[in-house]
Amino acid sequence: MSVIAIVDYDMGNLHSVCKGLEKVGARPHVTDSAQEIDRADAVILPGVGSFDPAVQHLRSRNLVEPIKTAIASGKPFLGICLGLQILFESSEEGIEPGLGIIPGIVRRFHSEPGLTIPQMGWNQLEFQQPNIPLWQGLSANPWVYFVHSYYVDPIDPKVCAATTTHGSQTVTVAIAQDNLMATQFHPEKSSTTGLQILSNFVSQVREKIAA
């Protein structure tokens, strides 16, 4: 059975992610070990909280280079929520540089009348890369669960895999580039749609091993 490493840096809801993966037949392994991340068949980088502490925790545990190496190796990689944002170069939330894997910045929603910040609850996806494996088996414009005040703004629009609209603002909420995928929403909290996304990721892992 494939091993999926879930990166532990004290910034993620690891239990929910593990339970979601177990429900779709995966074997998640929570770790902060560079060696175990390197040996894993796939990597998930979850995250809940603020940008600067997340980057600081990764650096203090010497996990930045293992994450970059895992992505460069071609193994399936999934970022979730803050785990998406820290893949970018910087954030309006803080002063720390991000990992810089995806060129772009993390921005805060603009205030507007009647708009709630953070966006907290269910919203619909608009697929920009509708044929990627992560979306297989999903209905058009599925509902997923968000909790965020900031969103990613990639320089290259082609990496955007899905958007959502909050108030009058349409923003990137998922990216996909080769083996690297990441979502602003929480698949592990998104009911059957989220479980299908996690199942699709696990299927990618198994196909990669079998290839």
Side-chain angles (χ1 to χ4, degrees):
M1 182 182 290
S2 57
V3 176
I4 299 176
I6 300 178
V7 181
D8 179 9
Y9 61 113
D10 287 336
M11 295 293 291
N13 190 352
L14 304 179
H15 178 72
S16 294
V17 176
C18 284
K19 293 298 288 185
L21 288 167
E22 289 168 354
K23 283 183 180 178
V24 299
R27 187 176 71 171
H29 177 60
V30 177
T31 183
D32 63 357
S33 163
Q35 291 76 21
E36 291 181 355
I37 291 171
D38 180 63
R39 288 196 297 265
D41 300 301
V43 178
I44 293 181
L45 180 65
V48 176
S50 299
F51 191 90
D52 280 6
V55 174
Q56 290 162 0
H57 287 197
L58 285 175
R59 291 200 178 109
S60 69
R61 296 189 178 198
N62 296 313
L63 291 173
V64 172
E65 289 308 315
I67 287 170
K68 290 182 176 181
T69 298
I71 293 170
S73 74
K75 68 177 63 176
F77 188 100
L78 178 64
I80 297 175
C81 196
L82 190 58
L84 160 67
Q85 296 180 5
I86 58 181
L87 298 174
F88 281 68
E89 294 172 303
S90 64
S91 174
E92 292 180 347
E93 186 178 17
I95 60 173
E96 290 281 356
L99 302 190
I101 295 166
I102 301 294
I105 190 170
V106 181
R107 302 188 186 279
R108 193 177 194 276
F109 280 115
H110 301 299
S111 296
E112 59 183 67
L115 185 71
T116 301
I117 302 174
Q119 175 180 209
M120 184 178 296
W122 297 83
N123 206 341
Q124 288 181 282
L125 298 180
E126 180 73 31
F127 294 138
Q128 306 303 313
Q129 296 185 47
N131 298 319
I132 63 171
L134 208 61
W135 307 146
Q136 296 305 299
L138 299 185
S139 62
N141 308 119
W143 292 85
V144 292
Y145 189 81
F146 291 91
V147 183
H148 67 124
S149 300
Y150 294 81
Y151 63 90
V152 297
D153 184 11
I155 289 175
D156 182 358
K158 293 193 294 293
V159 305
C160 176
T163 60
T164 201
T165 301
H166 186 46
S168 66
Q169 301 168 59
T170 298
V171 301
T172 296
V173 291
I175 63 165
Q177 181 175 270
D178 302 322
N179 59 302
L180 172 60
M181 298 151 284
T183 67
Q184 181 63 63
F185 61 88
H186 289 270
E188 75 281 7
K189 298 180 180 179
S190 296
S191 189
T192 54
T193 293
L195 288 178
Q196 181 64 54
I197 291 169
L198 291 177
S199 179
N200 290 341
F201 180 74
V202 172
S203 294
Q204 283 185 267
V205 177
R206 291 172 177 159
E207 290 170 8
K208 178 74 174 180
I209 295 171

